[in-house]
Amino acid sequence: MNTPRTRVPRRPVHGVLLLDKPLGLSSNDALQRAKYLLRGEKAGHTGTLDPLATGLLPLCFGAATKFSHLQLDAAKTYQARLRLGSTTRTGDAEGEVIRRRSVAVDRDAVQATLLRFVGASQQIPPMHSALKKDGKPLYEYARAGIEVERASRPVEIYSLTRLDDPTSCENDELCIEVSCSKGTYIRTLAEDIGEALGCGAHLIALRRTGSGQFGIEQCFTLEALQEMAEVDRPACLLPIDSLLQGVPQISLGAEDAGRFLSGLPRRGDWVDSALAAVYASAPRALLGTAQVRAGQLIPQRLLSPLELSQTTMSTIK
C-alpha cells in the first residue's frame, strides 16, 4: 500500500530570488525546487535558461510575478566556452559531430573576428531551442528529424570579448564573455564565430552572469537554501521593487493612493514617462506601475489590497 504524500503547506511569499541554476536542471525544475523550499504559493521564472547552462536565473514570487516581464526584456551577460574545429548537429556538446576541420587561428584573428559580431544583426533561432512553431517547441521537430523554416530575429551584441583564463581554455577551446539583448542564442553565436574563423565550433559550456541590474554575485544555490533553516530562507528574497531599479518613482498621499489602487488615473506635476514605479508615501509601499502622460498618472500593473497588506507587514517586520 502506498503511503499518502504529505501535503506541504504554502504561504504568501513576495519578492525576487536570484538563483544560481545548476547544470542539468531545466528552468522550471529549478523554479519548482525553489518554490518548495520557500513554501511559496505563486512563482514564475523570467525566461528559460537551458539545462546545459548554469548561472543567474531570477525567480519571481507572489506579487513580483506582475513585473517579471521587465527581466524578460533585460540585457543578459554570459560566459561561454567554445570547442573549435568541430560542429555538431545541435550546436552544443550533446549533439553528434557532423564535421571536423583543422584549427589554425591566432590571437589577432580571433580578436578581429569577435569584433565583427558586435552591434545589431539578424539571427536565425536554432532548431534545438524552446521557441515554438504551431504550439510545439522547435526541439521536438528537431528530435523527429524535421527541419522547419524559422524567421530571423533582430538581436544586438553590446560587447564580445575573449577571456584569457589558461586553466579553463586549453587546446582548441575559446572562452568568451557576451553582453547581449534578449532573445540572443549563444549557441548560434558560437557556431557563427566558428564559421567566421574557418574552422567551425560548438558550445561546450555556458554560464549566465548578468541579467539587467542583477549579477551572479547576488545569487543563492539550491544547496545553500536547503541547508538554511526554513525560517531564514525568505531573507534571501530581494524586494519586489528591485525589478524596478532605475525607473522614475512617484509617491502618493493616502487619498490618491487609494484611488490609484482602484485603477483611477491621478493628475499631478509629473514628467512624462512610459514607466514609473508608484508608492504610497506613508507607510511607504509599492502600489504598482503606471505611465505618465501629459500630467496624468495612468495605472498599469497594480498590487491587490491583499498583496499590499502582506508586503507592507513583511516590511514592517
Side-chain angles (χ1 to χ4, degrees):
M1 182 176 177
N2 293 331
T3 304
R5 293 181 62 183
T6 303
R7 189 174 182 84
V8 177
R10 300 291 180 173
R11 59 180 177 234
V13 175
H14 303 280
V16 181
L17 176 68
L18 301 182
L19 183 70
D20 187 346
K21 190 191 82 65
L23 185 70
L25 277 189
S26 70
S27 295
N28 187 59
D29 286 341
L31 169 67
Q32 295 307 321
R33 294 193 187 188
K35 185 178 176 183
Y36 172 83
L37 290 170
L38 284 160
R39 307 293 191 252
E41 292 177 338
K42 179 182 179 182
H45 59 68
T46 58
T48 57
L49 192 56
D50 195 272
L52 293 178
T54 66
L56 175 56
L57 181 66
L59 303 179
C60 295
F61 286 80
T65 59
K66 295 182 175 181
F67 312 105
S68 61
H69 64 288
L70 299 174
Q71 271 300 301
L72 286 172
D73 295 338
K76 308 294 191 296
T77 301
Y78 298 92
Q79 291 183 353
R81 188 184 302 177
L82 286 57
R83 174 78 68 194
L84 302 178
S86 58
T87 53
T88 68
R89 194 169 300 280
T90 60
D92 58 32
E94 283 203 328
E96 67 172 302
V97 175
I98 56 177
R99 187 179 182 186
R100 296 186 188 276
R101 282 174 274 180
S102 61
V103 180
V105 293
D106 58 26
R107 184 184 182 88
D108 290 341
V110 169
Q111 185 61 30
T113 299
L114 295 182
L115 286 174
R116 286 166 50 189
F117 288 91
V118 176
S121 64
Q122 295 287 321
Q123 189 183 67
I124 297 177
M127 279 300 301
H128 289 268
S129 69
L131 193 67
K132 290 186 177 180
K133 170 78 172 179
D134 297 329
K136 189 163 68 171
L138 289 179
Y139 62 74
E140 291 189 13
Y141 292 101
R143 289 170 182 170
I146 302 171
E147 181 93 9
V148 299
E149 186 176 348
R150 291 98 67 202
S152 62
R153 309 196 306 181
V155 299
E156 186 167 0
I157 306 297
Y158 305 121
S159 66
L160 177 56
T161 57
R162 179 174 183 169
L163 297 176
D164 291 315
D165 182 355
T167 64
S168 62
C169 296
E170 300 172 352
N171 304 324
D172 293 331
E173 293 181 7
L174 171 64
C175 290
I176 59 174
E177 183 170 75
V178 187
S179 177
C180 57
S181 64
K182 70 168 184 175
T184 304
Y185 286 95
I186 307 302
R187 181 188 311 172
T188 299
L189 176 64
E191 292 181 307
D192 291 344
I193 289 172
E195 290 305 313
L197 289 171
C199 60
H202 66 273
L203 191 67
I204 58 175
L206 181 65
R207 183 165 177 77
R208 185 193 284 166
T209 57
S211 178
Q213 66 273 36
F214 302 129
I216 191 67
E217 68 281 353
Q218 299 171 272
C219 289
F220 292 89
T221 63
L222 289 172
E223 290 78 8
L225 289 171
Q226 193 155 8
E227 290 172 1
M228 293 178 189
E230 185 176 327
V231 69
D232 294 330
R233 291 170 188 157
C236 299
L237 293 170
L238 296 174
I240 297 170
D241 59 0
S242 64
L243 295 169
L244 298 166
Q245 290 181 31
V247 173
Q249 298 183 5
I250 293 174
S251 292
L252 299 177
E255 183 178 346
D256 279 333
R259 292 180 180 276
F260 177 80
L261 274 179
S262 299
L264 297 175
R266 301 285 83 204
R267 285 203 170 274
D269 186 20
W270 300 301
V271 177
D272 282 7
S273 176
L275 180 67
V278 184
Y279 293 81
S281 57
R284 184 168 172 80
L286 178 68
L287 303 177
T289 58
Q291 178 186 19
V292 183
R293 189 171 60 218
Q296 191 172 40
L297 189 66
I298 305 169
Q300 292 181 329
R301 302 195 181 206
L302 305 175
L303 273 68
S304 70
L306 179 59
E307 291 168 340
L308 182 60
S309 66
Q310 289 169 347
T311 54
T312 303
M313 287 304 297
S314 65
T315 302
I316 294 171
K317 289 178 183 178

